[in-house]
Amino acid sequence: MPATERDKALPGMSGVSMRDLLASCAAARTVSTPPRAPDPEVSRPAATPVTPVVHRNAA
Protein backbone atom coordinates (compact mmCIF):
# COMPACT_ATOMS: atom_id res chain seq x y z
CA MET A 1 0.00 0.00 0.00
CA PRO A 2 1.49 3.37 -0.94
CA ALA A 3 2.19 5.85 1.82
CA THR A 4 -0.72 8.09 0.80
CA GLU A 5 -3.25 5.24 1.20
CA ARG A 6 -1.78 4.26 4.55
CA ASP A 7 -2.06 7.83 5.80
CA LYS A 8 -5.73 7.97 4.74
CA ALA A 9 -6.51 4.64 6.41
CA LEU A 10 -5.34 5.79 9.87
CA PRO A 11 -6.35 9.43 10.24
CA GLY A 12 -5.96 10.94 13.68
CA MET A 13 -3.99 8.03 15.11
CA SER A 14 -1.56 9.39 17.65
CA GLY A 15 1.83 7.90 18.25
CA VAL A 16 2.93 6.14 21.42
CA SER A 17 6.44 6.56 22.70
CA MET A 18 8.63 3.47 22.78
CA ARG A 19 9.11 3.99 26.52
CA ASP A 20 5.34 3.89 27.16
CA LEU A 21 4.92 0.88 24.88
CA LEU A 22 7.64 -1.10 26.66
CA ALA A 23 6.31 -0.09 30.08
CA SER A 24 2.80 -1.27 29.18
CA CYS A 25 4.16 -4.58 27.88
CA ALA A 26 6.15 -5.14 31.08
CA ALA A 27 3.10 -4.31 33.21
CA ALA A 28 0.89 -6.67 31.20
CA ARG A 29 3.43 -9.49 31.51
CA THR A 30 3.71 -8.95 35.27
CA VAL A 31 -0.04 -8.98 35.77
CA SER A 32 -0.67 -12.01 33.56
CA THR A 33 2.17 -14.21 34.85
CA PRO A 34 1.09 -16.61 37.62
CA PRO A 35 3.19 -16.67 40.78
CA ARG A 36 6.20 -18.98 40.91
CA ALA A 37 5.88 -22.33 42.59
CA PRO A 38 7.61 -22.34 45.97
CA ASP A 39 11.13 -23.67 46.06
CA PRO A 40 11.37 -27.23 47.35
CA GLU A 41 12.13 -27.33 51.03
CA VAL A 42 15.61 -28.33 52.04
CA SER A 43 15.41 -31.19 54.51
CA ARG A 44 15.99 -29.77 57.94
CA PRO A 45 16.21 -31.66 61.18
CA ALA A 46 12.95 -31.76 63.07
CA ALA A 47 12.61 -29.07 65.67
CA THR A 48 13.20 -30.34 69.17
CA PRO A 49 10.46 -29.50 71.65
CA VAL A 50 11.35 -26.69 74.01
CA THR A 51 11.28 -27.64 77.66
CA PRO A 52 10.32 -24.90 80.07
CA VAL A 53 13.12 -23.60 82.27
CA VAL A 54 12.37 -23.73 85.99
CA HIS A 55 13.81 -20.78 87.86
CA ARG A 56 14.59 -20.98 91.57
CA ASN A 57 13.60 -18.18 93.85
CA ALA A 58 16.44 -16.32 95.52
CA ALA A 59 17.01 -17.19 99.15
Side-chain angles (χ1 to χ4, degrees):
M1 166 177 357
T4 56
E5 290 179 25
R6 184 176 51 229
D7 292 340
K8 290 178 186 177
L10 302 172
M13 184 172 174
S14 63
V16 176
S17 71
M18 183 59 72
R19 178 176 174 233
D20 290 342
L21 179 63
L22 292 174
S24 67
C25 291
R29 184 177 341 131
T30 300
V31 170
S32 63
T33 303
R36 274 188 338 132
D39 292 335
E41 290 290 322
V42 177
S43 60
R44 292 184 236 163
T48 56
V50 177
T51 56
V53 178
V54 178
H55 295 281
R56 296 184 298 166
N57 290 333

mmCIF file of all heavy atoms in Angstrom:
data_model
loop_
_atom_site.group_PDB
_atom_site.id
_atom_site.type_symbol
_atom_site.label_atom_id
_atom_site.label_comp_id
_atom_site.label_asym_id
_atom_site.label_seq_id
_atom_site.Cartn_x
_atom_site.Cartn_y
_atom_site.Cartn_z
ATOM 1 N N MET A 1 0.853 -1.161 0.000
ATOM 2 C CA MET A 1 0.000 0.000 0.000
ATOM 3 C C MET A 1 0.906 1.233 0.000
ATOM 4 O O MET A 1 1.789 1.349 0.836
ATOM 5 C CB MET A 1 -0.899 -0.080 1.250
ATOM 6 C CG MET A 1 -1.591 1.163 1.575
ATOM 7 S SD MET A 1 -2.761 1.219 2.978
ATOM 8 C CE MET A 1 -2.927 -0.343 3.681
ATOM 9 N N PRO A 2 0.677 2.140 -0.906
ATOM 10 C CA PRO A 2 1.491 3.366 -0.942
ATOM 11 C C PRO A 2 1.271 4.193 0.322
ATOM 12 O O PRO A 2 0.264 4.074 1.002
ATOM 13 C CB PRO A 2 0.983 4.113 -2.174
ATOM 14 C CG PRO A 2 0.277 3.099 -2.994
ATOM 15 C CD PRO A 2 -0.209 2.052 -2.062
ATOM 16 N N ALA A 3 2.225 5.036 0.604
ATOM 17 C CA ALA A 3 2.189 5.847 1.819
ATOM 18 C C ALA A 3 0.937 6.706 1.886
ATOM 19 O O ALA A 3 0.379 6.900 2.957
ATOM 20 C CB ALA A 3 3.432 6.709 1.905
ATOM 21 N N THR A 4 0.467 7.224 0.769
ATOM 22 C CA THR A 4 -0.718 8.094 0.801
ATOM 23 C C THR A 4 -1.956 7.311 1.219
ATOM 24 O O THR A 4 -2.787 7.818 1.949
ATOM 25 C CB THR A 4 -0.939 8.749 -0.567
ATOM 26 O OG1 THR A 4 -1.027 7.727 -1.565
ATOM 27 C CG2 THR A 4 0.188 9.701 -0.905
ATOM 28 N N GLU A 5 -2.097 6.062 0.800
ATOM 29 C CA GLU A 5 -3.247 5.243 1.201
ATOM 30 C C GLU A 5 -3.156 4.886 2.685
ATOM 31 O O GLU A 5 -4.165 4.864 3.380
ATOM 32 C CB GLU A 5 -3.322 3.964 0.372
ATOM 33 C CG GLU A 5 -3.716 4.204 -1.069
ATOM 34 C CD GLU A 5 -3.765 2.912 -1.862
ATOM 35 O OE1 GLU A 5 -3.970 1.847 -1.236
ATOM 36 O OE2 GLU A 5 -3.591 2.962 -3.075
ATOM 37 N N ARG A 6 -1.968 4.610 3.147
ATOM 38 C CA ARG A 6 -1.778 4.262 4.548
ATOM 39 C C ARG A 6 -2.130 5.456 5.429
ATOM 40 O O ARG A 6 -2.770 5.309 6.472
ATOM 41 C CB ARG A 6 -0.336 3.823 4.797
ATOM 42 C CG ARG A 6 -0.092 3.349 6.217
ATOM 43 C CD ARG A 6 1.312 2.819 6.440
ATOM 44 N NE ARG A 6 2.310 3.753 5.962
ATOM 45 C CZ ARG A 6 3.343 3.408 5.173
ATOM 46 N NH1 ARG A 6 3.524 2.161 4.814
ATOM 47 N NH2 ARG A 6 4.201 4.317 4.766
ATOM 48 N N ASP A 7 -1.745 6.638 5.026
ATOM 49 C CA ASP A 7 -2.058 7.835 5.803
ATOM 50 C C ASP A 7 -3.563 8.079 5.849
ATOM 51 O O ASP A 7 -4.091 8.509 6.869
ATOM 52 C CB ASP A 7 -1.347 9.053 5.217
ATOM 53 C CG ASP A 7 0.163 8.967 5.394
ATOM 54 O OD1 ASP A 7 0.615 8.201 6.281
ATOM 55 O OD2 ASP A 7 0.878 9.664 4.655
ATOM 56 N N LYS A 8 -4.276 7.779 4.770
ATOM 57 C CA LYS A 8 -5.725 7.967 4.739
ATOM 58 C C LYS A 8 -6.428 6.909 5.605
ATOM 59 O O LYS A 8 -7.470 7.171 6.167
ATOM 60 C CB LYS A 8 -6.243 7.874 3.310
ATOM 61 C CG LYS A 8 -5.843 9.035 2.446
ATOM 62 C CD LYS A 8 -6.357 8.848 1.036
ATOM 63 C CE LYS A 8 -5.833 9.927 0.108
ATOM 64 N NZ LYS A 8 -6.269 9.694 -1.272
ATOM 65 N N ALA A 9 -5.868 5.719 5.685
ATOM 66 C CA ALA A 9 -6.509 4.639 6.414
ATOM 67 C C ALA A 9 -6.465 4.866 7.932
ATOM 68 O O ALA A 9 -7.336 4.392 8.638
ATOM 69 C CB ALA A 9 -5.828 3.315 6.084
ATOM 70 N N LEU A 10 -5.490 5.589 8.426
ATOM 71 C CA LEU A 10 -5.344 5.792 9.865
ATOM 72 C C LEU A 10 -5.322 7.278 10.227
ATOM 73 O O LEU A 10 -4.359 7.773 10.794
ATOM 74 C CB LEU A 10 -4.057 5.127 10.360
ATOM 75 C CG LEU A 10 -3.928 3.628 10.114
ATOM 76 C CD1 LEU A 10 -2.545 3.140 10.482
ATOM 77 C CD2 LEU A 10 -4.981 2.880 10.894
ATOM 78 N N PRO A 11 -6.372 8.007 9.904
ATOM 79 C CA PRO A 11 -6.349 9.433 10.243
ATOM 80 C C PRO A 11 -6.527 9.641 11.742
ATOM 81 O O PRO A 11 -7.270 8.917 12.407
ATOM 82 C CB PRO A 11 -7.550 9.993 9.481
ATOM 83 C CG PRO A 11 -8.488 8.855 9.374
ATOM 84 C CD PRO A 11 -7.620 7.625 9.264
ATOM 85 N N GLY A 12 -5.809 10.575 12.280
ATOM 86 C CA GLY A 12 -5.955 10.938 13.677
ATOM 87 C C GLY A 12 -5.332 9.952 14.661
ATOM 88 O O GLY A 12 -5.521 10.089 15.860
ATOM 89 N N MET A 13 -4.624 8.973 14.181
ATOM 90 C CA MET A 13 -3.993 8.029 15.107
ATOM 91 C C MET A 13 -2.755 8.689 15.693
ATOM 92 O O MET A 13 -1.885 9.144 14.971
ATOM 93 C CB MET A 13 -3.613 6.754 14.375
ATOM 94 C CG MET A 13 -3.050 5.702 15.284
ATOM 95 S SD MET A 13 -2.874 4.187 14.372
ATOM 96 C CE MET A 13 -2.050 3.217 15.577
ATOM 97 N N SER A 14 -2.716 8.743 17.010
ATOM 98 C CA SER A 14 -1.564 9.390 17.647
ATOM 99 C C SER A 14 -0.500 8.346 17.933
ATOM 100 O O SER A 14 -0.783 7.173 18.124
ATOM 101 C CB SER A 14 -1.997 10.089 18.927
ATOM 102 O OG SER A 14 -2.481 9.135 19.837
ATOM 103 N N GLY A 15 0.719 8.796 17.997
ATOM 104 C CA GLY A 15 1.831 7.899 18.253
ATOM 105 C C GLY A 15 1.998 7.632 19.739
ATOM 106 O O GLY A 15 1.544 8.383 20.596
ATOM 107 N N VAL A 16 2.626 6.520 20.042
ATOM 108 C CA VAL A 16 2.930 6.139 21.415
ATOM 109 C C VAL A 16 4.443 6.052 21.516
ATOM 110 O O VAL A 16 5.097 5.474 20.645
ATOM 111 C CB VAL A 16 2.291 4.776 21.759
ATOM 112 C CG1 VAL A 16 2.678 4.338 23.155
ATOM 113 C CG2 VAL A 16 0.789 4.837 21.611
ATOM 114 N N SER A 17 4.990 6.612 22.571
ATOM 115 C CA SER A 17 6.440 6.562 22.705
ATOM 116 C C SER A 17 6.884 5.130 22.980
ATOM 117 O O SER A 17 6.144 4.315 23.543
ATOM 118 C CB SER A 17 6.900 7.480 23.844
ATOM 119 O OG SER A 17 6.530 6.925 25.090
ATOM 120 N N MET A 18 8.085 4.806 22.571
ATOM 121 C CA MET A 18 8.628 3.469 22.782
ATOM 122 C C MET A 18 8.709 3.166 24.280
ATOM 123 O O MET A 18 8.446 2.051 24.707
ATOM 124 C CB MET A 18 10.007 3.355 22.132
ATOM 125 C CG MET A 18 10.624 1.994 22.244
ATOM 126 S SD MET A 18 9.640 0.672 21.507
ATOM 127 C CE MET A 18 9.863 1.004 19.784
ATOM 128 N N ARG A 19 9.022 4.169 25.069
ATOM 129 C CA ARG A 19 9.109 3.986 26.522
ATOM 130 C C ARG A 19 7.756 3.557 27.095
ATOM 131 O O ARG A 19 7.668 2.628 27.896
ATOM 132 C CB ARG A 19 9.573 5.298 27.151
ATOM 133 C CG ARG A 19 9.668 5.256 28.638
ATOM 134 C CD ARG A 19 10.224 6.583 29.162
ATOM 135 N NE ARG A 19 10.178 6.592 30.598
ATOM 136 C CZ ARG A 19 9.611 7.550 31.315
ATOM 137 N NH1 ARG A 19 9.075 8.585 30.732
ATOM 138 N NH2 ARG A 19 9.590 7.482 32.615
ATOM 139 N N ASP A 20 6.676 4.240 26.687
ATOM 140 C CA ASP A 20 5.343 3.894 27.163
ATOM 141 C C ASP A 20 4.918 2.510 26.671
ATOM 142 O O ASP A 20 4.292 1.746 27.405
ATOM 143 C CB ASP A 20 4.326 4.931 26.719
ATOM 144 C CG ASP A 20 4.498 6.265 27.422
ATOM 145 O OD1 ASP A 20 5.162 6.291 28.483
ATOM 146 O OD2 ASP A 20 3.967 7.275 26.911
ATOM 147 N N LEU A 21 5.262 2.181 25.439
ATOM 148 C CA LEU A 21 4.920 0.876 24.881
ATOM 149 C C LEU A 21 5.618 -0.241 25.656
ATOM 150 O O LEU A 21 4.988 -1.230 26.036
ATOM 151 C CB LEU A 21 5.310 0.821 23.404
ATOM 152 C CG LEU A 21 5.029 -0.489 22.687
ATOM 153 C CD1 LEU A 21 3.540 -0.771 22.650
ATOM 154 C CD2 LEU A 21 5.594 -0.444 21.284
ATOM 155 N N LEU A 22 6.910 -0.078 25.917
ATOM 156 C CA LEU A 22 7.644 -1.096 26.661
ATOM 157 C C LEU A 22 7.151 -1.204 28.104
ATOM 158 O O LEU A 22 7.054 -2.298 28.655
ATOM 159 C CB LEU A 22 9.143 -0.786 26.637
ATOM 160 C CG LEU A 22 9.808 -0.916 25.262
ATOM 161 C CD1 LEU A 22 11.247 -0.434 25.334
ATOM 162 C CD2 LEU A 22 9.729 -2.337 24.758
ATOM 163 N N ALA A 23 6.816 -0.075 28.713
ATOM 164 C CA ALA A 23 6.310 -0.093 30.083
ATOM 165 C C ALA A 23 4.967 -0.822 30.146
ATOM 166 O O ALA A 23 4.714 -1.602 31.076
ATOM 167 C CB ALA A 23 6.172 1.326 30.621
ATOM 168 N N SER A 24 4.104 -0.599 29.160
ATOM 169 C CA SER A 24 2.805 -1.267 29.180
ATOM 170 C C SER A 24 2.959 -2.762 28.943
ATOM 171 O O SER A 24 2.243 -3.570 29.533
ATOM 172 C CB SER A 24 1.862 -0.653 28.145
ATOM 173 O OG SER A 24 2.317 -0.917 26.830
ATOM 174 N N CYS A 25 3.904 -3.159 28.104
ATOM 175 C CA CYS A 25 4.156 -4.585 27.876
ATOM 176 C C CYS A 25 4.692 -5.244 29.143
ATOM 177 O O CYS A 25 4.278 -6.357 29.490
ATOM 178 C CB CYS A 25 5.143 -4.781 26.722
ATOM 179 S SG CYS A 25 4.460 -4.341 25.114
ATOM 180 N N ALA A 26 5.597 -4.584 29.843
ATOM 181 C CA ALA A 26 6.149 -5.138 31.081
ATOM 182 C C ALA A 26 5.064 -5.255 32.144
ATOM 183 O O ALA A 26 4.985 -6.257 32.862
ATOM 184 C CB ALA A 26 7.295 -4.259 31.583
ATOM 185 N N ALA A 27 4.189 -4.271 32.228
ATOM 186 C CA ALA A 27 3.105 -4.314 33.209
ATOM 187 C C ALA A 27 2.130 -5.439 32.876
ATOM 188 O O ALA A 27 1.692 -6.176 33.759
ATOM 189 C CB ALA A 27 2.380 -2.971 33.246
ATOM 190 N N ALA A 28 1.810 -5.600 31.604
ATOM 191 C CA ALA A 28 0.893 -6.670 31.198
ATOM 192 C C ALA A 28 1.495 -8.038 31.487
ATOM 193 O O ALA A 28 0.800 -8.949 31.952
ATOM 194 C CB ALA A 28 0.561 -6.534 29.714
ATOM 195 N N ARG A 29 2.771 -8.209 31.248
ATOM 196 C CA ARG A 29 3.433 -9.486 31.513
ATOM 197 C C ARG A 29 3.429 -9.777 33.007
ATOM 198 O O ARG A 29 3.173 -10.895 33.443
ATOM 199 C CB ARG A 29 4.862 -9.463 30.985
ATOM 200 C CG ARG A 29 5.574 -10.790 31.139
ATOM 201 C CD ARG A 29 6.959 -10.779 30.544
ATOM 202 N NE ARG A 29 7.144 -9.703 29.592
ATOM 203 C CZ ARG A 29 8.163 -8.863 29.585
ATOM 204 N NH1 ARG A 29 9.127 -8.984 30.461
ATOM 205 N NH2 ARG A 29 8.253 -7.903 28.704
ATOM 206 N N THR A 30 3.682 -8.767 33.824
ATOM 207 C CA THR A 30 3.712 -8.951 35.272
ATOM 208 C C THR A 30 2.337 -9.348 35.800
ATOM 209 O O THR A 30 2.217 -10.251 36.622
ATOM 210 C CB THR A 30 4.170 -7.658 35.966
ATOM 211 O OG1 THR A 30 5.472 -7.333 35.486
ATOM 212 C CG2 THR A 30 4.215 -7.813 37.461
ATOM 213 N N VAL A 31 1.310 -8.706 35.307
ATOM 214 C CA VAL A 31 -0.042 -8.978 35.775
ATOM 215 C C VAL A 31 -0.524 -10.346 35.316
ATOM 216 O O VAL A 31 -1.222 -11.048 36.041
ATOM 217 C CB VAL A 31 -0.997 -7.875 35.277
ATOM 218 C CG1 VAL A 31 -2.432 -8.245 35.521
ATOM 219 C CG2 VAL A 31 -0.680 -6.569 35.958
ATOM 220 N N SER A 32 -0.136 -10.765 34.112
ATOM 221 C CA SER A 32 -0.673 -12.008 33.563
ATOM 222 C C SER A 32 0.171 -13.240 33.887
ATOM 223 O O SER A 32 -0.237 -14.350 33.571
ATOM 224 C CB SER A 32 -0.816 -11.882 32.045
ATOM 225 O OG SER A 32 0.441 -11.684 31.455
ATOM 226 N N THR A 33 1.324 -13.070 34.511
ATOM 227 C CA THR A 33 2.174 -14.207 34.855
ATOM 228 C C THR A 33 1.762 -14.752 36.218
ATOM 229 O O THR A 33 1.705 -14.000 37.191
ATOM 230 C CB THR A 33 3.649 -13.777 34.910
ATOM 231 O OG1 THR A 33 4.002 -13.221 33.644
ATOM 232 C CG2 THR A 33 4.558 -14.949 35.224
ATOM 233 N N PRO A 34 1.453 -16.050 36.314
ATOM 234 C CA PRO A 34 1.087 -16.607 37.616
ATOM 235 C C PRO A 34 2.298 -16.622 38.547
ATOM 236 O O PRO A 34 3.441 -16.611 38.095
ATOM 237 C CB PRO A 34 0.633 -18.030 37.293
ATOM 238 C CG PRO A 34 1.226 -18.347 35.967
ATOM 239 C CD PRO A 34 1.426 -17.050 35.254
ATOM 240 N N PRO A 35 2.064 -16.660 39.843
ATOM 241 C CA PRO A 35 3.194 -16.671 40.780
ATOM 242 C C PRO A 35 4.021 -17.945 40.639
ATOM 243 O O PRO A 35 3.520 -18.977 40.211
ATOM 244 C CB PRO A 35 2.533 -16.605 42.156
ATOM 245 C CG PRO A 35 1.106 -16.905 41.942
ATOM 246 C CD PRO A 35 0.791 -16.677 40.507
ATOM 247 N N ARG A 36 5.295 -17.825 40.968
ATOM 248 C CA ARG A 36 6.200 -18.981 40.911
ATOM 249 C C ARG A 36 5.790 -20.017 41.932
ATOM 250 O O ARG A 36 5.279 -19.683 42.988
ATOM 251 C CB ARG A 36 7.624 -18.550 41.294
ATOM 252 C CG ARG A 36 8.452 -18.020 40.218
ATOM 253 C CD ARG A 36 9.905 -17.783 40.613
ATOM 254 N NE ARG A 36 10.187 -17.633 42.034
ATOM 255 C CZ ARG A 36 11.162 -18.265 42.669
ATOM 256 N NH1 ARG A 36 11.939 -19.086 42.030
ATOM 257 N NH2 ARG A 36 11.380 -18.066 43.944
ATOM 258 N N ALA A 37 6.089 -21.259 41.610
ATOM 259 C CA ALA A 37 5.885 -22.327 42.591
ATOM 260 C C ALA A 37 6.943 -22.163 43.672
ATOM 261 O O ALA A 37 8.064 -21.730 43.404
ATOM 262 C CB ALA A 37 6.030 -23.680 41.920
ATOM 263 N N PRO A 38 6.612 -22.485 44.902
ATOM 264 C CA PRO A 38 7.611 -22.338 45.968
ATOM 265 C C PRO A 38 8.785 -23.281 45.741
ATOM 266 O O PRO A 38 8.634 -24.348 45.159
ATOM 267 C CB PRO A 38 6.859 -22.700 47.234
ATOM 268 C CG PRO A 38 5.632 -23.404 46.792
ATOM 269 C CD PRO A 38 5.358 -22.991 45.384
ATOM 270 N N ASP A 39 9.942 -22.842 46.178
ATOM 271 C CA ASP A 39 11.134 -23.674 46.061
ATOM 272 C C ASP A 39 10.963 -24.907 46.946
ATOM 273 O O ASP A 39 10.366 -24.829 48.020
ATOM 274 C CB ASP A 39 12.381 -22.898 46.513
ATOM 275 C CG ASP A 39 12.708 -21.762 45.561
ATOM 276 O OD1 ASP A 39 12.316 -21.846 44.377
ATOM 277 O OD2 ASP A 39 13.350 -20.799 46.005
ATOM 278 N N PRO A 40 11.482 -26.036 46.505
ATOM 279 C CA PRO A 40 11.368 -27.229 47.347
ATOM 280 C C PRO A 40 12.109 -27.011 48.665
ATOM 281 O O PRO A 40 13.174 -26.399 48.701
ATOM 282 C CB PRO A 40 12.019 -28.329 46.520
ATOM 283 C CG PRO A 40 12.723 -27.668 45.408
ATOM 284 C CD PRO A 40 12.189 -26.276 45.277
ATOM 285 N N GLU A 41 11.531 -27.499 49.708
ATOM 286 C CA GLU A 41 12.126 -27.333 51.033
ATOM 287 C C GLU A 41 13.390 -28.173 51.153
ATOM 288 O O GLU A 41 13.431 -29.315 50.712
ATOM 289 C CB GLU A 41 11.147 -27.762 52.122
ATOM 290 C CG GLU A 41 9.976 -26.824 52.285
ATOM 291 C CD GLU A 41 10.381 -25.496 52.888
ATOM 292 O OE1 GLU A 41 11.250 -25.475 53.778
ATOM 293 O OE2 GLU A 41 9.827 -24.486 52.451
ATOM 294 N N VAL A 42 14.389 -27.604 51.749
ATOM 295 C CA VAL A 42 15.613 -28.333 52.041
ATOM 296 C C VAL A 42 15.332 -29.115 53.318
ATOM 297 O O VAL A 42 14.765 -28.586 54.268
ATOM 298 C CB VAL A 42 16.790 -27.357 52.247
ATOM 299 C CG1 VAL A 42 18.046 -28.104 52.629
ATOM 300 C CG2 VAL A 42 16.990 -26.516 51.011
ATOM 301 N N SER A 43 15.716 -30.382 53.314
ATOM 302 C CA SER A 43 15.407 -31.189 54.506
ATOM 303 C C SER A 43 16.166 -30.636 55.700
ATOM 304 O O SER A 43 17.382 -30.486 55.684
ATOM 305 C CB SER A 43 15.758 -32.651 54.273
ATOM 306 O OG SER A 43 17.131 -32.779 53.992
ATOM 307 N N ARG A 44 15.425 -30.308 56.710
ATOM 308 C CA ARG A 44 15.994 -29.775 57.944
ATOM 309 C C ARG A 44 15.686 -30.754 59.063
ATOM 310 O O ARG A 44 14.652 -31.423 59.032
ATOM 311 C CB ARG A 44 15.365 -28.431 58.281
ATOM 312 C CG ARG A 44 15.731 -27.344 57.318
ATOM 313 C CD ARG A 44 15.148 -26.042 57.804
ATOM 314 N NE ARG A 44 14.320 -25.508 56.708
ATOM 315 C CZ ARG A 44 13.419 -24.574 56.835
ATOM 316 N NH1 ARG A 44 13.184 -24.063 58.006
ATOM 317 N NH2 ARG A 44 12.743 -24.145 55.819
ATOM 318 N N PRO A 45 16.531 -30.795 60.052
ATOM 319 C CA PRO A 45 16.208 -31.663 61.180
ATOM 320 C C PRO A 45 14.935 -31.180 61.856
ATOM 321 O O PRO A 45 14.651 -29.986 61.884
ATOM 322 C CB PRO A 45 17.412 -31.558 62.113
ATOM 323 C CG PRO A 45 18.147 -30.347 61.675
ATOM 324 C CD PRO A 45 17.787 -30.104 60.232
ATOM 325 N N ALA A 46 14.192 -32.119 62.386
ATOM 326 C CA ALA A 46 12.947 -31.760 63.066
ATOM 327 C C ALA A 46 13.261 -30.895 64.280
ATOM 328 O O ALA A 46 14.272 -31.092 64.963
ATOM 329 C CB ALA A 46 12.213 -33.018 63.488
ATOM 330 N N ALA A 47 12.413 -29.965 64.525
ATOM 331 C CA ALA A 47 12.613 -29.072 65.669
ATOM 332 C C ALA A 47 12.422 -29.863 66.957
ATOM 333 O O ALA A 47 11.496 -30.650 67.086
ATOM 334 C CB ALA A 47 11.630 -27.916 65.612
ATOM 335 N N THR A 48 13.317 -29.657 67.886
ATOM 336 C CA THR A 48 13.197 -30.342 69.167
ATOM 337 C C THR A 48 12.242 -29.549 70.042
ATOM 338 O O THR A 48 12.239 -28.316 70.016
ATOM 339 C CB THR A 48 14.562 -30.460 69.869
ATOM 340 O OG1 THR A 48 15.115 -29.155 70.004
ATOM 341 C CG2 THR A 48 15.504 -31.330 69.067
ATOM 342 N N PRO A 49 11.400 -30.230 70.799
ATOM 343 C CA PRO A 49 10.462 -29.495 71.653
ATOM 344 C C PRO A 49 11.223 -28.707 72.715
ATOM 345 O O PRO A 49 12.253 -29.141 73.218
ATOM 346 C CB PRO A 49 9.596 -30.583 72.280
ATOM 347 C CG PRO A 49 10.277 -31.868 71.990
ATOM 348 C CD PRO A 49 11.262 -31.642 70.894
ATOM 349 N N VAL A 50 10.717 -27.563 73.022
ATOM 350 C CA VAL A 50 11.347 -26.693 74.013
ATOM 351 C C VAL A 50 10.800 -27.058 75.385
ATOM 352 O O VAL A 50 9.591 -27.100 75.595
ATOM 353 C CB VAL A 50 11.058 -25.218 73.699
ATOM 354 C CG1 VAL A 50 11.662 -24.309 74.766
ATOM 355 C CG2 VAL A 50 11.567 -24.865 72.324
ATOM 356 N N THR A 51 11.720 -27.343 76.293
ATOM 357 C CA THR A 51 11.285 -27.645 77.656
ATOM 358 C C THR A 51 11.338 -26.360 78.469
ATOM 359 O O THR A 51 12.266 -25.560 78.335
ATOM 360 C CB THR A 51 12.203 -28.701 78.307
ATOM 361 O OG1 THR A 51 13.544 -28.228 78.257
ATOM 362 C CG2 THR A 51 12.107 -30.020 77.588
ATOM 363 N N PRO A 52 10.336 -26.152 79.301
ATOM 364 C CA PRO A 52 10.323 -24.901 80.071
ATOM 365 C C PRO A 52 11.462 -24.897 81.092
ATOM 366 O O PRO A 52 11.822 -25.936 81.648
ATOM 367 C CB PRO A 52 8.965 -24.909 80.760
ATOM 368 C CG PRO A 52 8.479 -26.315 80.680
ATOM 369 C CD PRO A 52 9.174 -26.965 79.537
ATOM 370 N N VAL A 53 12.032 -23.756 81.310
ATOM 371 C CA VAL A 53 13.120 -23.602 82.273
ATOM 372 C C VAL A 53 12.505 -23.252 83.613
ATOM 373 O O VAL A 53 11.679 -22.336 83.729
ATOM 374 C CB VAL A 53 14.087 -22.488 81.823
ATOM 375 C CG1 VAL A 53 15.186 -22.279 82.838
ATOM 376 C CG2 VAL A 53 14.658 -22.820 80.458
ATOM 377 N N VAL A 54 12.890 -23.983 84.650
ATOM 378 C CA VAL A 54 12.375 -23.732 85.992
ATOM 379 C C VAL A 54 13.391 -22.861 86.718
ATOM 380 O O VAL A 54 14.548 -23.212 86.848
ATOM 381 C CB VAL A 54 12.166 -25.057 86.759
ATOM 382 C CG1 VAL A 54 11.665 -24.773 88.167
ATOM 383 C CG2 VAL A 54 11.218 -25.951 85.994
ATOM 384 N N HIS A 55 12.937 -21.707 87.152
ATOM 385 C CA HIS A 55 13.812 -20.778 87.865
ATOM 386 C C HIS A 55 13.593 -20.948 89.370
ATOM 387 O O HIS A 55 12.466 -21.072 89.833
ATOM 388 C CB HIS A 55 13.516 -19.323 87.456
ATOM 389 C CG HIS A 55 13.823 -19.054 86.018
ATOM 390 N ND1 HIS A 55 15.094 -18.844 85.572
ATOM 391 C CD2 HIS A 55 13.020 -18.964 84.938
ATOM 392 C CE1 HIS A 55 15.068 -18.626 84.270
ATOM 393 N NE2 HIS A 55 13.804 -18.690 83.849
ATOM 394 N N ARG A 56 14.691 -20.911 90.108
ATOM 395 C CA ARG A 56 14.587 -20.984 91.567
ATOM 396 C C ARG A 56 14.465 -19.591 92.127
ATOM 397 O O ARG A 56 15.041 -18.650 91.597
ATOM 398 C CB ARG A 56 15.813 -21.670 92.163
ATOM 399 C CG ARG A 56 15.927 -23.110 91.716
ATOM 400 C CD ARG A 56 17.071 -23.795 92.393
ATOM 401 N NE ARG A 56 18.335 -23.118 92.023
ATOM 402 C CZ ARG A 56 19.476 -23.309 92.645
ATOM 403 N NH1 ARG A 56 19.561 -24.134 93.664
ATOM 404 N NH2 ARG A 56 20.563 -22.706 92.251
ATOM 405 N N ASN A 57 13.729 -19.488 93.186
ATOM 406 C CA ASN A 57 13.604 -18.179 93.854
ATOM 407 C C ASN A 57 14.869 -17.924 94.665
ATOM 408 O O ASN A 57 15.480 -18.828 95.213
ATOM 409 C CB ASN A 57 12.397 -18.158 94.792
ATOM 410 C CG ASN A 57 11.098 -18.181 94.003
ATOM 411 O OD1 ASN A 57 11.067 -17.721 92.867
ATOM 412 N ND2 ASN A 57 10.056 -18.717 94.590
ATOM 413 N N ALA A 58 15.260 -16.682 94.737
ATOM 414 C CA ALA A 58 16.442 -16.318 95.524
ATOM 415 C C ALA A 58 16.145 -16.528 97.004
ATOM 416 O O ALA A 58 15.026 -16.353 97.471
ATOM 417 C CB ALA A 58 16.816 -14.860 95.265
ATOM 418 N N ALA A 59 17.190 -16.912 97.726
ATOM 419 C CA ALA A 59 17.007 -17.185 99.150
ATOM 420 C C ALA A 59 16.963 -15.933 99.962
ATOM 421 O O ALA A 59 17.358 -14.894 99.739
ATOM 422 C CB ALA A 59 18.117 -18.070 99.676
#
